Each structure stands twice: as structure tokens, then as C-alpha cells.
Amino acid sequence: MWIYEKKLQYPVRVSKCDPHMAKLLIEQYGGADGELAAALRYLNQRYTIPDKVIGLLTDIGTEEFAHLEMIATMIYKLTKDATPDQLKAAGLGDYYVNHDSALYYQNAAGVPWTAAYIQAKGDPIADLYEDIAAEEKARATYQWLIDLTDDVDLQDGLKFLREREIIHSMRFREAVEILKCEREAQKIF
Amino acid sequence: MNPEVRVYVPFRGPFDPCPPIGVKTFVTPPNLFIQFQPMGLPQFSPYEALRLGTLWPDLYSNYYPR
Amino acid sequence: MTIQLDENYYRMLTDLQAADFVLVELTLYLDTHPTDRAALQQFNDFSMKRQKLAYEFQLAYGPLTQFGQSGPPQNSWRWAQDPWPWQV
């Protein structure tokens, strides 16, 4: 079971109405290396991974939902009160015609989220290496997003999220090290 | 210069139309250099940790926009 | 009762976010370092601190969690009232 907590993990601020930046940020909402893909990937891999790393996948997967809410908050604030004309000028005319300013799980190019973005291979090493790669790809995406905005408040939140990718990558690599040392269990057989 | 930055020079062919940018850079964050986090590393204060996104200075990586 | 998004609200919220962030970091760390006694002690200390901060925040601004998991007893249903996290 999951319990929702009525607060953000990090105090998200944006300092200007900028629907074009929202269009780019949606990459981390419904893109291949975004927070939804991350959360679903980790929580789903838990069922077929050695017990020693299930806790880590549970906790990181849960934190990813907090990050998904941070991205949603950024998009919400960047587009709130924007007029249809402003959205159109920001390249969101085709988005508006389908969604108004509702959030939708798609990437920055408009491609809807798909389960094909994530894998569950059943091999713990293959799955953890995918997780490590996912964290590094998300880190890179945050870097390119930071490059594309001059809003220091938004950069602040994106830098927090980028740092979290670094920590998650560290923990997944530790999980690989833990599994490499799993020889004790062989004595049971 | 940011010590995490690595640099390489892309090959330049005779028919590349864009003006050469010279060097390409990429970042190597601190987690790449730690195989397993040692116990008892120094910590940021809780408020600094929240602001920076990690509890441990040894794992903190700043990013300088291009 | 309408919540005033004043200085006090943001101060109490940030205090709680800071304590909770330490707990998130220590949780992931302890998942891969379960034998680190000092980290476990720090986790327990912050968990106590967090409970106190969350109790005070919820007394002032309403419940943070639902399904009966939030701290102080409630004499009116404030859970479903705004503001929601993305609105503050």
C-alpha cells in the first residue's frame, strides 16, 4: 500500500510564466527517461530480484513519484493562467487542442508514454544495469533542461532532481556490489 | 574549471558545414569514482542537504549551465 | 478555516522538508549499509524530530496524510481542503 503525503519533497519555485519551458520539461514527466518510467520500472522489478535489494527498489521507486509530482508542479506553475494565444506562441497549439492545459504523459516531442520504455528482464544484473543507465540518462536530461532555461528558481529545482539521479545511481551500483557478494547463500544448497 | 568536466576534440572533416565548436565537454559526477560509499562521511546540515539534493558533500555535484 | 500562506507556513513546511530529506537520504543509504549503527542512530533521532515537526504542522495546517495516518485528532474534515502541494 502507498500513503500520499500532502507536501512536496522539495520547495518548487518558478519565477515566470513560461509555457515553452513547460513543453520541454514534459520530457521528464512522460518521456523514456522520465520520472514516471523510473517509478514504474523500479517498483515492477521488485517482484523478481533478490530480497537484499527489494527494499532499495521500493524506496527509490517511491521517491520517483515525489519527483514526478515536482515535475508536474513545475509544468503546472509554468502554464497556469497562460492564454490559448500564449500557449500557441510557445509551440503548444497542438497540445492545447488535445489537452487544454491538462497534464499528459508524453515526451517533449509529443510522443505518449509507453511501457516499451522500461524493461523487466528477470536477470538482477541486467535489471540493475538498466536502472543505473536510466539514472545517468535522467541526469543528462536534467542538464540539458538546465541549459535551456535562465530561470534561476527553476534551475534550482532541476539541480535538486539532477543530484538525486546521482545518488540513486550510486545506490544501484552498491546493489550490484551486494549481489556480487551473495556467495554465502550458496552454502544452503 | 569544474574538476568534473572532461573534454574531447571531435574529428573535423573537410565537408562539415557548421563552424567548429572546438572542444566537446561532458561531466563525470562523483558517484563514478566511489564503488561503495564508505561509512561516516561528513554531512551537510539538513537545510543545506535539502537545497543541494544530497546529505554528503562527497557525493555533491554542481552543474554549470552551458 | 482557510490556510494563510504566510511566513510561518513556509518556515514550518521547510523545517519538515529538511528533516524528511535527511530521512530519505538515510533510508536509501541504510538499504545498502544496514550494519552502519551510527547512521541507524541518526535515522532514529531524525524520525523522532520529524514526528514532532509533522505534529505541529498538522495542528496548524491540517493533515499531511490520510487513511487515519496523520498525527493530531481532527474535529473537522480538513484533508480535502486546498491548498494542494502544487498550489503553494
Side-chain angles (χ1 to χ4, degrees), chain B residues 19-37:
Chain B
I21 55 168
V23 296
K24 287 277 280 181
T25 60
F26 61 99
V27 176
T28 54
N31 60 312
L32 297 183
F33 303 94
I34 304 169
Q35 190 172 33
F36 208 99
Q37 183 178 334

Side-chain angles (χ1 to χ4, degrees), chain A residues 11-186:
Chain A
V12 169
R13 297 278 182 278
V14 308
S15 56
K16 60 181 175 187
C17 174
D18 184 357
H20 183 252
M21 195 59 207
K23 182 183 192 294
L24 304 176
L25 267 177
I26 211 159
E27 185 69 32
Q28 280 306 88
Y29 196 64
D33 307 318
E35 301 293 350
L36 179 71
L40 297 181
R41 177 191 292 114
Y42 306 150
L43 294 174
N44 183 58
Q45 287 175 355
R46 296 182 302 156
Y47 302 100
T48 50
I49 207 135
D51 288 4
K52 276 195 172 170
V53 296
I54 292 176
L56 183 67
L57 282 170
T58 304
D59 296 333
I60 294 182
T62 300
E63 190 185 350
E64 303 295 6
F65 278 121
H67 298 170
L68 188 69
E69 192 181 34
M70 284 178 63
I71 295 289
T73 300
M74 290 170 184
I75 295 169
Y76 168 82
K77 287 184 186 296
L78 289 167
T79 55
K80 185 170 179 280
D81 306 320
T83 64
D85 276 347
Q86 281 176 301
L87 293 172
K88 193 176 162 191
L92 282 168
D94 41 9
Y95 188 92
Y96 177 79
V97 81
N98 198 6
H99 306 293
D100 191 326
S101 56
L103 272 72
Y104 188 68
Y105 290 116
Q106 66 171 46
N107 72 7
V111 181
W113 191 86
T114 166
Y117 290 154
I118 62 176
Q119 178 58 291
K121 205 73 204 172
D123 178 276
I125 301 301
D127 282 346
L128 285 168
Y129 269 66
E130 169 170 327
D131 302 345
I132 294 163
E135 297 293 340
E136 299 299 340
K137 287 189 286 181
R139 172 184 57 79
T141 307
Y142 282 121
Q143 290 170 189
W144 314 154
L145 286 167
I146 292 164
D147 291 344
L148 290 168
T149 180
D150 57 1
D151 179 339
V152 289
D153 285 330
L154 181 60
Q155 283 185 346
D156 203 51
L158 292 172
K159 283 181 178 182
F160 172 89
L161 290 166
R162 174 183 176 271
E163 180 64 35
R164 298 311 297 150
E165 309 298 340
I166 292 170
I167 299 300
H168 292 173
S169 177
M170 177 84 250
R171 297 292 166 247
F172 283 133
R173 287 180 42 244
E174 287 169 347
V176 171
E177 294 305 312
I178 289 168
L179 295 188
K180 279 160 71 178
C181 299
E182 272 291 63
R183 310 180 88 135
E184 287 302 301
Q186 288 175 2

Side-chain angles (χ1 to χ4, degrees), chain C residues 31-50:
Chain C
D31 283 342
T32 55
H33 299 71
T35 60
D36 187 335
R37 302 292 305 174
L40 184 64
Q41 184 58 51
Q42 190 186 11
F43 180 90
N44 290 335
D45 292 346
F46 269 84
S47 183
M48 294 278 282
K49 194 173 152 184
R50 188 276 163 201

Side-chain angles (χ1 to χ4, degrees), chain C residues 26-82:
Chain C
L26 290 175
T27 298
L28 302 189
Y29 173 84
L30 284 161
D31 283 342
T32 55
H33 299 71
T35 60
D36 187 335
R37 302 292 305 174
L40 184 64
Q41 184 58 51
Q42 190 186 11
F43 180 90
N44 290 335
D45 292 346
F46 269 84
S47 183
M48 294 278 282
K49 194 173 152 184
R50 188 276 163 201
Q51 278 177 43
K52 193 169 167 290
L53 290 169
Y55 192 90
E56 285 163 6
F57 183 90
Q58 292 177 109
L59 271 185
Y61 300 112
L64 282 165
T65 54
Q66 214 23 269
F67 307 130
Q69 304 256 346
S70 61
Q74 298 162 54
N75 46 26
S76 72
W77 192 250
R78 297 173 72 186
W79 166 252
Q81 284 175 19
D82 54 18

Side-chain angles (χ1 to χ4, degrees), chain B residues 40-46 49 54-57, chain C residues 22 26 38-39 42 46:
Chain B
L41 288 182
Q43 296 184 358
F44 288 122
S45 75
T54 182
L55 189 53
W56 297 280
Chain C
V22 172
L26 290 175
Q42 190 186 11
F46 269 84

